[in-house]
Amino acid sequence: MHINVGGTRNVLELANQANDVKAFVHVSTAYNMCPGIVDEKVYPTNIEPEVALDFFAKMPADWNASITKTILKDKISTYAYSKHMGEKVVERAWNNLPVTIVRPGAISSAMTEPLPGWNETESSSSKWLRRLFDGSYHTVLANSQGRFELTPVDYTANTCLAAAWRLGNSIPKKFHVYNCVPNRMTNPVMLRDWIKWGCESLRVGKLRTYYPTISKNPTRFDINNYLFRKIPGQFRSIMKHGSDQNFQKDYNEAQILARTFKIAIINNWEFVTANMTELNQLMDPLDRQLFPIDFDQIDWKLFTQYLVHGLYSYEKHLNTSDLSSPNYTKNIVEFPTL
């Protein structure tokens, strides 16, 4: 709340002191609402953002932790909750500033710029994707018929630039929200396809990896991973190192990541992308080529190959038990060409 609401408010106040601001672009997240249809608009909050910010700031830490689940309800996380609040702060600034909001999905590796697959973050989504692909899970806690919207980092940046261009050059100016995610009708991608293509990409490098089963039953997830991952993993770790401490740390992290993304990948979101489509159509043909934002043009299987390459090549640290050596994994996937 302090960062995503208070910080947003501070930057808006700074922008109000500047002269002749042409466009103010706020980067939110597509997953800041509950499961269902998410339109390109700012939804009402159940409490005023400033009131919530002041309330949580004054609340004792132990109280805060005890009521978090009640406050979040169906929101994915405190991050999603606070980003929703931040959007409301931005929308209210419209009377004084030209503002617009871009909502990417889970920001991931680049499609083309600065390099295909480029990824140097230690985000939770990057860590979770590595776990999905490298065999850390026997069973993935997910909906086999569901989607998980990944947004290439360069598409996020391009959308911010295009949104700023549109707002800065529009007369009269109009407030827009852009759901910067794949079009659900024209070029959707299923979570099961991400997993299949990711595991296949690792096998190209002759690394053994397990193709996990998928279940949205938490009990089945717990039992299968305990029997087929924890017990064998502990045994191998003890035989190799005389201790299972490192394996236990990795296993616990994998379980935490699975729970973190549980709501997002068990439920279904349907994102309206009409504003994104219109923005792409308004761009000059050369700009569409230089700053692509059209998700319909993405070959998702090829992007997954880039994604895997980036996860195991560009990242500075690999926190997995099976793939612990950067030297071992840096050339594991043959780099696809554009």
Side-chain angles (χ1 to χ4, degrees):
M1 291 294 291
H2 178 69
I3 295 169
N4 292 330
V5 180
T8 300
R9 182 186 60 187
N10 292 343
V11 179
L12 286 166
E13 289 176 355
L14 178 64
N16 270 316
Q17 299 173 31
N19 295 323
D20 197 24
V21 173
K22 299 295 184 183
F24 182 105
V25 181
H26 175 70
V27 183
S28 185
T29 174
Y31 285 102
N32 67 9
M33 295 307 301
C34 300
I37 297 176
V38 180
D39 207 343
E40 291 174 302
K41 66 179 184 180
V42 176
Y43 287 82
T45 55
N46 58 1
I47 184 174
E48 294 298 317
E50 291 79 6
V51 173
L53 181 63
D54 184 60
F55 176 71
F56 290 125
K58 293 179 179 178
M59 183 183 297
D62 55 339
W63 291 18
N64 204 326
S66 66
I67 66 171
T68 294
K69 288 186 178 180
T70 302
I71 293 172
L72 293 185
K73 295 183 179 178
D74 291 334
K75 290 285 176 62
I76 291 180
S77 62
T78 54
Y79 173 76
Y81 179 88
S82 59
K83 292 297 280 187
H84 180 203
M85 291 281 184
E87 284 192 1
K88 200 65 182 177
V89 174
V90 173
E91 183 189 41
R92 288 180 179 169
W94 174 251
N95 292 331
N96 300 315
L97 282 170
V99 295
T100 192
I101 296 174
V102 173
R103 288 179 182 153
I107 298 178
S108 61
S109 298
M111 182 65 193
T112 56
E113 291 189 280
L115 291 169
W118 176 83
N119 187 332
E120 288 188 351
T121 71
E122 278 297 318
S123 66
S124 56
S125 59
S126 292
K127 293 178 180 179
W128 179 65
L129 288 167
R130 285 204 301 268
R131 299 289 187 182
L132 285 184
F133 301 151
D134 69 20
S136 293
Y137 299 111
H138 173 278
T139 300
V140 176
L141 185 60
N143 180 358
S144 62
Q145 303 301 316
R147 299 193 302 272
F148 182 60
E149 310 296 6
L150 295 181
T151 300
V153 63
D154 47 343
Y155 272 58
T156 305
N158 293 342
T159 302
C160 290
L161 292 170
W165 161 79
R166 180 184 187 182
L167 181 58
N169 288 279
S170 296
I171 300 176
K173 296 184 183 300
K174 184 179 178 182
F175 175 71
H176 287 100
V177 177
Y178 300 96
N179 285 338
C180 184
V181 295
N183 188 302
R184 59 177 175 157
M185 302 300 294
T186 55
N187 192 22
V189 57
M190 308 300 287
L191 177 64
R192 62 175 183 268
D193 292 330
W194 290 123
I195 298 172
K196 176 177 178 289
W197 295 334
C199 292
E200 286 177 350
S201 296
L202 282 183
R203 288 206 169 193
V204 168
K206 297 182 174 58
L207 175 73
R208 296 177 185 176
T209 185
Y210 174 79
Y211 287 72
T213 60
I214 300 174
S215 174
K216 57 182 180 180
N217 185 320
T219 301
R220 182 178 298 175
F221 167 81
D222 288 335
I223 292 174
N224 286 356
N225 284 295
Y226 183 84
L227 292 176
F228 300 109
R229 284 296 174 268
K230 186 173 184 178
I231 293 177
Q234 284 179 318
F235 179 77
R236 286 196 303 268
S237 183
I238 292 173
M239 292 295 293
K240 187 175 182 179
H241 304 291
S243 169
D244 69 343
Q245 290 184 354
N246 290 334
F247 169 80
Q248 187 66 45
K249 179 181 178 182
D250 287 335
Y251 181 84
N252 290 341
E253 182 185 78
Q255 300 304 298
I256 291 171
L257 288 168
R259 296 282 193 253
T260 299
F261 289 96
K262 175 184 174 182
I263 297 178
I265 59 178
I266 285 183
N267 300 283
N268 272 326
W269 273 257
E270 300 292 343
F271 296 105
V272 176
T273 55
N275 287 344
M276 281 291 295
T277 300
E278 185 179 34
L279 178 62
N280 183 62
Q281 292 171 346
L282 289 171
M283 293 170 66
D284 180 270
L286 180 58
D287 282 341
R288 283 201 294 268
Q289 182 179 352
L290 294 175
F291 307 100
I293 65 170
D294 185 3
F295 286 84
D296 288 355
Q297 303 303 312
I298 296 179
D299 179 337
W300 289 114
K301 186 173 183 179
L302 178 62
F303 172 72
T304 306
Q305 295 173 14
Y306 292 160
L307 172 66
V308 170
H309 177 80
L311 288 174
Y312 294 102
S313 300
Y314 296 125
E315 295 216 13
K316 298 176 181 178
H317 305 289
L318 295 172
N319 297 320
T320 60
S321 56
D322 295 329
L323 303 172
S324 58
S325 170
N327 292 328
Y328 177 67
T329 60
K330 66 180 180 180
N331 293 318
I332 195 171
V333 182
E334 183 178 352
F335 202 170
T337 57
L338 286 173

